[in-house]
Amino acid sequence: MSALIALLLKVVGVGFLVIAAVGVLRLADPFQRMHAATKAGTLGAGLVVLGTLVGQQASDVTVIGTLTILFLLLTVPVAGHLLGRAAYISGTPMEGLSRGDALDGVLARQAVPPSERIGSARRPFAPSTDPSAAEADGTRSTTPGPALAPLTDVRLGLIRGQEDRTFARALAIAAAHGVSLTAHAIVDSRTIERAEDRGDTRSRIRKACAEAMEALQGHMERAGAELSVRYDEGVPEDVLCHGEPGRCLLVVPQDGWFHHGVDPVHSDMSWAPDGLLHLPSVHVGPVLYAGIAPEGDEVTLALYDNDEPHLGDLLDWSLQSRLWPVETVCHVGRAGDARLAGLERIAAGHGVRFVPLPAGRGRSAGDAAMLPGADAAILGTMPRPLRTRWYGMAWTERIAPGFRGDVLAMETPD
């Protein structure tokens, strides 16, 4: 008789496991799928273990089996609750909700689903299908990465104390092209995780971020501008990364980070986040580090050439997008005659004068001081090491001593 009961319990338990598996595959949203999955861990696995206990009827098996069932009952529902809470807070869509959201106003919830915030962030470059995009002179992308698409969106990284310059620059570009402008107010969750007092650090960073949003609101009112503002708590590189080269321009300051100046956060650490300089490696497309606005209607643009295959595309895109009223492009770096001719053709196509500086003089040689009049710079590779401060010196000093203009940067994935 005990063997029959044991078999019945195991069959019923396996039945619950099968139903749970079908539910995970077929149900509409994570909350419903989680509900099915927890049944597999409690009823399904629990009944199979109980059937084993009835069938074996040994003291050691009884002790181990009882502890197993108790462990399942104590952990699986709690894990399901925590996963459901995380999914709700992250803004995961809820399907088939007919009686309203009972947690509305109880738990803070992201307005934008995770798939829209970072879903396309890690898509790699696709090879160009346009043969004209690869030229023999090496000024266009010949390795993975198509020519940059036209600008359709401008995004602003909002950091406390840096709102004025970045907002003005992003607004001017968005208005000139008639494209959307979105400000991203982000709290870096890693800063909080590394803090000794996480609660206090979280509170201070949130307060600082709120002050940045308030300052942005003031700039918007004075400019009579309207834009979307998105608030996120997480890893800024994941929130800001983008996968469509050229369509989205990210505008950020040249200094600061999304801990919004809350410092120090750890007694044993000299906290100087350098994430700003990592953004070109995750935001597949141009990143503009807003500097001092050029004066006048004639801008000298410094093009730093380290033989990057995408540099010609980036120059062409920047001139086509009219980020500055460029009159002269000064080429800095080592390049062969064919490459220089190709870059000059790109500049000439936009009616811009191209001036190659003496060979052998470039950023790595440390004598870019010949460009004291440059208003903006284009980089195909960020200056290494990726430190915003290096021996007390701002990273823009490695472009040219005293340089404080705009920096347009873009890197290709490794």
Side-chain angles (χ1 to χ4, degrees):
M1 184 65 180
S2 62
L4 181 61
I5 295 175
L7 178 61
L8 180 62
L9 290 172
K10 291 179 181 179
V11 170
V12 174
V14 170
F16 274 108
L17 291 172
V18 172
I19 293 172
V22 173
V24 170
L25 293 173
R26 298 293 299 275
L27 292 176
D29 63 34
F31 303 97
Q32 297 177 40
R33 292 193 291 270
M34 208 175 304
H35 177 73
T38 53
K39 297 301 178 286
T42 51
L43 286 174
L47 287 174
V48 171
V49 174
L50 183 59
T52 303
L53 294 181
V54 174
Q56 294 291 329
Q57 293 185 348
S59 59
D60 55 342
V61 174
T62 301
V63 171
I64 295 174
T66 302
L67 291 175
T68 301
I69 294 173
L70 182 62
F71 180 79
L72 290 172
L73 291 175
L74 290 176
T75 59
V76 174
V78 174
H81 171 77
L82 293 176
L83 287 172
R85 178 188 176 91
Y88 179 86
I89 293 174
S90 70
T92 301
M94 296 180 288
E95 303 291 339
L97 192 65
S98 59
R99 297 187 179 181
D101 183 0
L103 292 177
D104 187 22
V106 177
L107 288 180
R109 175 173 165 83
Q110 293 283 351
V112 181
S115 59
E116 294 185 17
R117 296 201 304 271
I118 61 175
S120 63
R122 298 297 181 186
R123 287 184 296 174
F125 277 143
S128 176
T129 57
D130 182 3
S132 65
E135 298 183 1
D137 53 45
T139 61
R140 300 299 180 104
S141 300
T142 57
T143 55
L148 278 71
L151 178 65
T152 61
D153 181 33
V154 177
R155 296 197 293 174
L156 161 66
L158 185 63
I159 294 176
R160 190 182 69 163
Q162 307 287 341
E163 309 91 351
D164 189 7
R165 185 179 303 170
T166 50
F167 168 72
R169 199 70 187 91
L171 178 63
I173 296 171
H177 293 79
V179 299
S180 62
L181 174 59
T182 304
H184 287 265
I186 306 171
V187 169
D188 187 356
S189 59
R190 294 169 305 185
T191 307
I192 299 170
E193 292 168 1
R194 295 169 182 171
E196 293 178 340
D197 188 339
R198 296 184 182 181
D200 177 67
T201 302
R202 179 183 290 106
S203 176
R204 289 191 293 141
I205 294 180
R206 284 177 175 175
K207 180 180 178 181
C209 185
E211 291 173 358
M213 295 172 69
E214 184 178 356
L216 175 65
Q217 182 65 36
H219 293 308
M220 290 167 54
E221 291 175 356
R222 286 189 289 274
E226 293 184 2
L227 67 150
S228 301
V229 180
R230 293 186 178 179
Y231 175 84
D232 288 275
E233 293 191 17
V235 179
E237 291 94 326
D238 290 340
V239 176
L240 294 174
C241 58
H242 184 76
E244 298 183 53
R247 294 193 180 279
C248 178
L249 173 67
L250 175 61
V251 181
V252 293
Q254 294 180 358
D255 198 5
W257 186 240
F258 296 97
H259 65 326
H260 301 283
V262 174
D263 188 42
V265 296
H266 197 293
S267 60
D268 299 327
M269 178 173 62
S270 176
W271 183 251
D274 300 303
L276 279 177
L277 303 191
H278 291 267
L279 291 177
S281 66
V282 296
H283 183 275
V284 181
V287 177
L288 179 67
Y289 294 90
I292 298 174
E295 296 182 1
D297 298 330
E298 298 178 356
V299 168
T300 298
L301 176 64
L303 181 69
Y304 287 87
D305 190 352
N306 284 324
D307 201 32
E308 300 94 346
H310 64 280
L311 190 64
D313 286 340
L314 184 57
L315 173 63
D316 188 33
W317 184 89
S318 67
L319 296 176
Q320 179 67 36
S321 300
R322 304 183 307 280
L323 299 184
W324 316 275
V326 178
E327 182 189 53
T328 303
V329 172
C330 291
H331 178 274
V332 182
R334 298 175 176 87
D337 292 340
R339 182 173 175 85
L340 286 174
L343 292 169
E344 185 173 8
R345 281 197 298 271
I346 293 173
H350 296 279
V352 173
R353 186 163 62 102
F354 184 80
V355 179
L357 296 179
R361 301 202 169 208
R363 183 176 63 204
S364 59
D367 53 7
M370 67 179 67
L371 290 174
D375 302 290
I378 290 181
L379 307 181
T381 305
M382 293 297 290
R384 263 55 176 183
L386 293 173
R387 296 280 198 269
T388 53
R389 294 277 169 181
W390 186 242
Y391 293 105
M393 184 173 61
W395 68 276
T396 51
E397 291 286 324
R398 284 176 273 162
I399 298 175
F403 180 80
R404 293 294 181 270
D406 285 349
V407 179
L408 183 70
M410 174 179 163
E411 295 187 345
T412 54
D414 295 332

